[in-house]
Amino acid sequence: MAFREKMSNAHPLLKGVLWLGIMALLFVASMVGYVLYVQLTGLQSVMALKMAQLVQSLLVFVVPALLAVWCWSRRPAEWLRLQAVGNGRVYALVVLLMIVAQPGINMLATWNEGIRLPAFMSEIEQYFQDMEASARELTEMLAAAPTIGTMLLNLVVLAAVPAIGEELSFRGVLLGLIDGDTTLGARISPTRRTHIAVWVVGIIFSLIHFQFYGFIPRMLLGVVLGYLLVWTGSLWVPMVAHFTNNALVVLLYFAEEHFAISSESLESFGTGTTSWAGWLSILLSLLLLWIVRNAVQKRSSAPHPANPAGV
């Protein structure tokens, strides 16, 4: 218990190092475990990749976040802001928000894909393009769902667990450490610190996915998830939003395979001749964010436990 007492009063940077250290150790353990599993069984099927994805999500994002916060707080759930929102309408609104936002996300993704690096960086640009193609190929392989059972498994492995894990890590731990850091200087007010935390975490959230051509929409998604947490004071709200965003991809591939719905046509909706839908999507998304903000007006100053102000 002496260790927990010391960590509870430790500098946020030290807490961050502890969290990242646990994350790194478990990441290495998960990779070693997967390599040994493949060598021993000779199996490298899609199901094996899904199980590896599940284990990695748990060991890299879920467990380190919970274990690290346990090390410096006697109330880990409260520190992570895992209390539920009393107004159930908020959850329905964020689900609707993520559905409505898809054409706008498509439009932003198209703009992002249109970014071209200078000629002297052509090799780096090609590397980014190859990474994007590989990521898409992997997603298509993992999201393939010949049966309803496989689709339900995909919702757990590709949507629910990553959403929970990434929100615990990015909005729960990282945003909490930055937002609750009272050592950043007297010139930075708690309210401004919260805004900085939301945007910094949104940028890191996008960078960590290593997909240059999806950086802008993913960064803005991270920012939206951050403000949903700040406004509602509950990590469950961005978790639901994140899960919805992931689940839409899983359901899209299932629909394409079973109902002859073109994923390309849906992914391009909001671009080109349908750019009107992209702009409308962004406007409606902003309206829904405003409605969510007002729906929790009484909790609009729901700061991190270590941050005495709110946004």
Side-chain angles (χ1 to χ4, degrees):
M1 291 300 174
F3 174 74
R4 292 180 71 184
E5 290 294 337
K6 290 181 180 179
M7 286 304 303
S8 66
N9 298 315
H11 191 283
L13 182 60
L14 180 58
K15 293 177 181 178
V17 170
L18 173 66
W19 166 57
L20 291 175
I22 296 172
M23 183 184 290
L25 287 173
L26 291 181
F27 171 74
V28 172
S30 67
M31 294 302 295
V32 171
Y34 177 71
V35 171
L36 290 176
Y37 172 76
V38 171
Q39 289 181 343
L40 291 174
T41 64
L43 180 63
Q44 198 169 7
S45 63
V46 173
M47 182 57 72
L49 289 174
K50 286 183 182 179
M51 291 303 101
Q53 173 92 2
L54 176 62
V55 171
Q56 193 171 74
S57 293
L58 290 171
L59 291 183
V60 176
F61 293 111
V62 177
V63 175
L66 296 176
L67 184 57
V69 175
W70 180 86
C71 287
W72 65 63
S73 175
R74 291 185 176 277
R75 302 179 188 176
E78 180 181 334
W79 198 96
L80 287 166
R81 294 186 274 195
L82 284 170
Q83 62 273 16
V85 173
N87 188 347
R89 185 165 65 107
V90 171
Y91 296 107
L93 285 170
V94 297
V95 170
L96 179 60
L97 167 65
M98 297 316 300
I99 295 173
V100 168
Q102 293 309 305
I105 292 174
N106 294 340
M107 183 173 70
L108 292 171
T110 299
W111 287 353
N112 200 159
E113 290 168 2
I115 296 175
R116 292 292 174 263
L117 299 178
F120 70 90
M121 299 179 68
S122 59
E123 291 186 5
I124 297 177
E125 183 175 73
Q126 185 60 52
Y127 175 72
F128 285 151
Q129 292 173 348
D130 291 342
M131 285 185 64
E132 198 73 23
S134 297
R136 184 175 183 84
E137 183 179 344
L138 179 62
T139 299
E140 290 176 351
M141 181 174 62
L142 293 176
T147 66
I148 293 179
T150 306
M151 183 267 288
L152 294 175
L153 176 63
N154 289 346
L155 284 175
V156 174
V157 175
L158 305 178
V161 176
I164 293 171
E166 290 180 11
E167 290 312 303
L168 280 171
S169 293
F170 292 102
R171 255 61 61 180
V173 176
L174 187 56
L175 193 150
L177 288 174
I178 299 174
D179 187 22
D181 184 4
T182 57
T183 67
L184 289 177
R187 293 184 180 180
I188 301 178
S189 67
T191 298
R192 184 177 298 177
R193 185 168 64 238
T194 296
H195 286 298
I196 292 173
V198 168
W199 282 90
V200 168
V201 172
I203 292 170
I204 295 174
F205 170 71
S206 188
L207 286 173
I208 207 69
H209 284 81
F210 298 105
Q211 288 181 266
F212 174 78
Y213 291 106
F215 174 81
I216 293 175
R218 188 173 285 110
M219 177 196 68
L220 293 177
L221 172 62
V223 169
V224 167
L225 294 173
Y227 280 117
L228 287 176
L229 169 61
V230 171
W231 293 340
T232 65
S234 172
L235 192 61
W236 290 109
V237 176
M239 279 184 181
V240 169
H242 197 150
F243 166 75
T244 303
N245 184 71
N246 293 353
L248 289 173
V249 176
V250 172
L251 295 175
L252 173 60
Y253 281 105
F254 180 78
E256 182 179 42
E257 191 166 349
H258 294 273
F259 303 106
I261 297 176
S262 171
S263 62
E264 290 186 4
S265 62
L266 289 178
E267 289 175 350
S268 63
F269 185 62
T271 67
T273 57
T274 59
S275 59
W276 59 269
W279 288 109
L280 180 61
S281 168
I282 291 175
L283 290 174
L284 290 176
S285 296
L286 292 173
L287 175 61
L288 284 168
L289 283 171
W290 179 77
I291 293 173
V292 170
R293 179 74 164 77
N294 285 344
V296 291
Q297 191 65 45
K298 292 182 179 180
R299 301 190 58 177
S300 60
S301 295
H304 189 271
N307 182 349
V311 178

